[in-house]
């Protein structure tokens, strides 16, 4: 671990005294002081007070260009006026009817219009719930239990998908999960069609689930042609192909990564952008699969073969209103053209900044996502070596000192980031890289 007495960390402490004080209070009542593992940060995280468009401001008055963007949920930026209006109007009419309502029908119709695989839709409240439900549907439909999951792919935090998320892949992401549950997953390296073929040959596989653009927002991108191969393999073996588009849905294109890559899965899980930046998620897919959830009036099917799902806040009116406002705005793809162009500019600019600062590594990514890698490019020698977690951690601190908030190694660009934001971000990264280099952390790399 990098020494916490580094200059970068000293500056961080000096710039964020109110965040430091809040963190001390938080540690007394919240385990580890944070409410999402991704917010764990040394010496302490920043506490944010407000946000607008592509920016946010912390309790110490620091202004950041934001690339967390609600963990990827805010493709239209913070507080888009149409989304705010939709939320306010609906909140005044009722936040929860405990009943069916028209907005959920309109929301489902919009999803079926945009997402190629979506013949029917069922709502949940988070991506974690959506992948949990999708696997349940696949198992009930096929009568098989095993699911193929790929090393490095993230599908939320429920027991059924915690295996092989981060290296070493034989250690699950979380303690407290029974072996009998972990055993239901068959694990495969990504981009290895022969390995998948062998697993499907066992005959007990219900589904394959994957992030179609590659694990963890494309950190290890899917190689060209692989999705097509998976599609034909799953058709041949009668296995349900599930694209987890919690990140890529409505971001890679209005129709998600499946539209972008031209491969239609059997089922798709959606969250984040699908609910317009509010909590919400969906499972969509083929009618025959989703129909496993419908009451048929047959007592045996309804009681023992049907897939059950409840959820107090599923498709609540406020989230539905925000979702509709958002999906209507992203439907024609014009915002994607802009965000993707900014993505190209930022990726090129950051790669140059790394070179200028004499820092090892590069930048890559697709659409409106960028990755910064000290290990180099996917597919090239060295990329698979263990990541230097300490460097990524220090980079976050150094970026926050220079007006950029971004996950340690990747960021999500919104349709409202400006050219000035991109320029400021490249300058902020370059300064951060130089300050890290001055701390001596790249020596020997
Ligand atoms: C691909 C993918 N699937 C599932 C999830 C889980 O979604 P949530 O955090 O809404 O539970 C995430 C979260 O980032 C994700 O990136």
């Amino acid at each position: 671990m990098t020494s916490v007495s580094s200059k970068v960390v000293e500056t961080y402490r000096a710039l964020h005294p109110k965040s430091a004080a809040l963190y001390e209070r938080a540690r007394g009542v919240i385990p580890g002081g944070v409410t999402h593992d991704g917010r764990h940060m040394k010496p302490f995280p920043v506490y944010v007070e407000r946000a607008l468009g592509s920016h946010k401001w912390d309790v110490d008055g620091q202004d950041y260009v934001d690339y967390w963007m609600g963990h990827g949920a805010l493709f239209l930026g913070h507080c888009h006026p149409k989304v705010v209006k939709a939320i306010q109007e609906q909140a005044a009419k009722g936040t929860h009817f405990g009943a069916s309502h028209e907005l959920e029908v309109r929301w489902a119709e919009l999803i079926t219009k945009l997402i190629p695989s979506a013949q029917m839709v069922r709502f949940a409240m988070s991506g974690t719930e959506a992948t949990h439900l999708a696997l349940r549907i696949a198992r009930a439909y096929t009568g098989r239990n095993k699911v193929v999951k790929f090393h490095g792919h993230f599908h939320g935090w429920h027991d059924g998908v915690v295996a092989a998320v981060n290296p070493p892949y034989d250690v699950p992401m979380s303690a407290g999960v029974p072996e009998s549950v972990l055993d239901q997953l068959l694990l495969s390296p990504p981009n290895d069609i022969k390995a998948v073929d062998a697993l499907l040959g066992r005959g007990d596989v219900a589904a394959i689930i994957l992030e179609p653009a590659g694990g963890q927002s494309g950190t290890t991108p899917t190689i060209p042609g692989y999705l097509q191969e998976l599609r034909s393999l799953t058709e041949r073996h009668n296995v349900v192909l599930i694209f987890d588009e919690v990140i890529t849905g409505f971001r890679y294109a209005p129709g998600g990564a499946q539209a972008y890559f031209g491969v239609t899965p059997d089922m798709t899980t959606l969250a984040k952008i699908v609910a317009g930046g509010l909590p919400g998620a969906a499972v969509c897919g083929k009618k025959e699969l989703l129909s496993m959830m419908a009451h048929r009036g047959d007592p045996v099917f309804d009681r023992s073969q049907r897939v059950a799902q409840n959820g107090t806040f599923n498709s609540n009116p406020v989230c539905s209103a925000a979702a509709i406002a958002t999906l209507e705005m992203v439907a024609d793809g014009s915002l994607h053209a802009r965000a993707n162009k900014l993505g190209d500019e930022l990726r090129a600019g950051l790669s140059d900044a790394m070179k200028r600062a004499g820092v090892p590594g590069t930048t890559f990514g697709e659409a409106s996502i960028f990755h910064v890698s000290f290990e180099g490019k996917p597919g090239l020698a060295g990329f698979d070596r263990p990541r230097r977690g300490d460097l990524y951690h220090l980079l976050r601190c150094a970026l926050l000192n220079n007006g950029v908030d971004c996950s340690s190694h990747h960021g999500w660009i919104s349709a409202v980031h400006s050219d000035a934001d991109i320029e400021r971000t490249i300058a902020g990264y370059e300064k951060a890289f130089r300050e890290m280099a001055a701390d001596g952390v790249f020596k020997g790399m």
Side-chain angles (χ1 to χ4, degrees):
M1 189 71 199
T2 307
S3 149
V4 281
S5 66
S6 79
K7 188 85 189 9
V8 168
V9 174
E10 264 173 45
T11 308
Y12 184 86
R13 287 186 191 280
L15 287 174
H16 304 100
K18 288 188 180 162
S19 282
L22 276 171
Y23 181 61
E24 276 317 299
R25 278 170 57 196
R27 285 202 310 164
V29 284
I30 299 171
V34 292
T35 55
H36 183 305
D37 281 355
R39 293 182 202 142
H40 165 72
M41 192 170 163
K42 277 191 179 151
F44 52 83
V46 292
Y47 283 74
V48 172
E49 204 164 62
R50 68 193 170 90
L52 184 67
S54 55
H55 284 241
K56 66 190 183 194
W57 292 266
D58 72 13
V59 289
D60 289 293
Q62 308 289 341
D63 165 21
Y64 304 104
V65 184
D66 184 23
Y67 294 95
W68 271 99
M69 279 293 144
H71 292 229
L74 297 169
F75 186 61
L76 302 175
H78 295 281
C79 309
H80 189 286
K82 286 189 183 164
V83 179
V84 171
K85 185 165 179 274
I87 292 169
Q88 285 173 336
E89 286 181 0
Q90 187 53 48
K93 287 191 217 162
T95 57
H96 198 317
F97 302 135
S100 301
H101 55 92
E102 186 183 346
L103 292 178
E104 67 192 8
V105 184
R106 279 177 54 201
W107 187 9
E109 284 169 349
L110 265 168
I111 293 172
T112 59
K113 201 173 106 195
L114 295 175
I115 302 290
S117 64
Q119 293 174 355
M120 303 202 97
V121 183
R122 183 86 174 211
F123 293 108
M125 282 308 288
S126 68
T128 296
E129 287 184 40
T131 60
H132 191 46
L133 178 60
L135 296 184
R136 189 180 280 188
I137 294 171
R139 287 180 168 127
Y141 179 78
T142 58
R144 304 176 211 131
N145 281 337
K146 302 286 189 210
V147 167
V148 173
K149 179 195 174 288
F150 296 99
H151 295 170
H153 285 226
F154 179 65
H155 304 295
W157 59 268
H158 64 83
D159 289 3
V161 290
V162 293
V165 176
N166 296 311
Y169 293 122
D170 57 345
V171 181
M173 184 183 110
S174 177
V177 180
E179 283 296 325
S180 56
V181 176
L182 296 168
D183 285 349
Q184 300 310 314
L185 284 182
L186 304 176
L187 304 170
S188 168
N191 295 324
D192 181 347
I193 201 70
K194 284 202 181 118
V196 179
D197 197 9
L199 292 174
L200 298 200
R202 296 163 44 116
D204 56 357
V205 176
I208 295 181
I209 187 165
L210 78 157
E211 293 184 72
Q216 302 194 24
S217 299
T219 299
T220 303
T222 304
I223 56 175
Y226 180 68
L227 294 175
Q228 284 81 354
E229 287 181 312
L230 274 185
R231 181 63 287 188
S232 39
L233 206 58
T234 45
E235 271 166 5
R236 192 145 33 89
H237 287 273
N238 224 354
V239 163
V240 179
L241 181 61
I242 303 169
F243 280 4
D244 179 355
E245 294 229 40
V246 165
I247 292 281
T248 51
F250 311 101
R251 174 176 290 280
Y252 267 50
Q258 55 200 269
Y260 186 89
F261 293 115
V263 177
T264 306
D266 300 306
M267 263 197 293
T268 303
T269 52
L270 299 163
K272 304 195 191 271
I273 299 172
V274 76
L278 263 59
V283 175
C284 56
K286 282 188 173 154
K287 198 171 174 178
E288 68 209 59
L289 285 158
L290 274 284
S291 298
M292 291 302 296
M293 304 190 70
H295 287 89
R296 295 184 184 171
D298 165 355
V300 175
F301 177 87
D302 288 356
R303 181 64 190 85
S304 60
Q305 291 158 18
R306 195 182 66 82
V307 172
Q309 183 227 10
N310 302 75
T312 300
F313 288 102
N314 290 352
S315 67
N316 67 79
V318 176
C319 296
S320 305
I324 293 167
T326 298
L327 297 191
E328 282 177 344
M329 280 185 274
V330 304
D332 73 3
S334 54
L335 296 175
H336 299 81
R338 183 185 153 64
N340 293 358
K341 183 171 161 286
L342 291 180
D344 288 339
E345 288 167 10
L346 187 54
R347 287 183 289 265
L350 293 183
S351 291
D352 289 346
M354 283 180 109
K355 274 191 210 125
R356 279 196 302 272
V359 163
T362 190
T363 316
F364 64 96
E366 214 160 338
S368 50
I369 302 179
F370 65 94
H371 300 265
V372 170
S373 164
F374 296 117
E375 288 79 25
K377 263 203 175 13
L380 296 185
F383 183 71
D384 287 334
R385 73 194 128 134
R387 294 173 83 84
R388 287 277 309 273
D390 56 336
L391 289 186
Y392 290 97
H393 204 98
L394 195 66
L395 175 60
R396 261 212 87 191
C397 275
L399 286 174
L400 286 161
N401 291 348
N402 285 290
V404 179
D405 189 18
C406 187
S407 126
S408 53
H409 56 100
H410 58 233
W412 295 289
I413 300 159
S414 78
V416 302
H417 278 87
S418 65
D419 294 338
D421 288 332
I422 300 296
E423 258 177 53
R424 182 176 145 178
T425 304
I426 294 167
Y429 263 92
E430 184 164 347
K431 227 170 140 241
F433 290 139
R434 288 187 190 281
E435 287 165 3
M436 288 172 71
D439 263 357
V441 297
F442 298 118
K443 279 197 187 108
M445 279 183 79

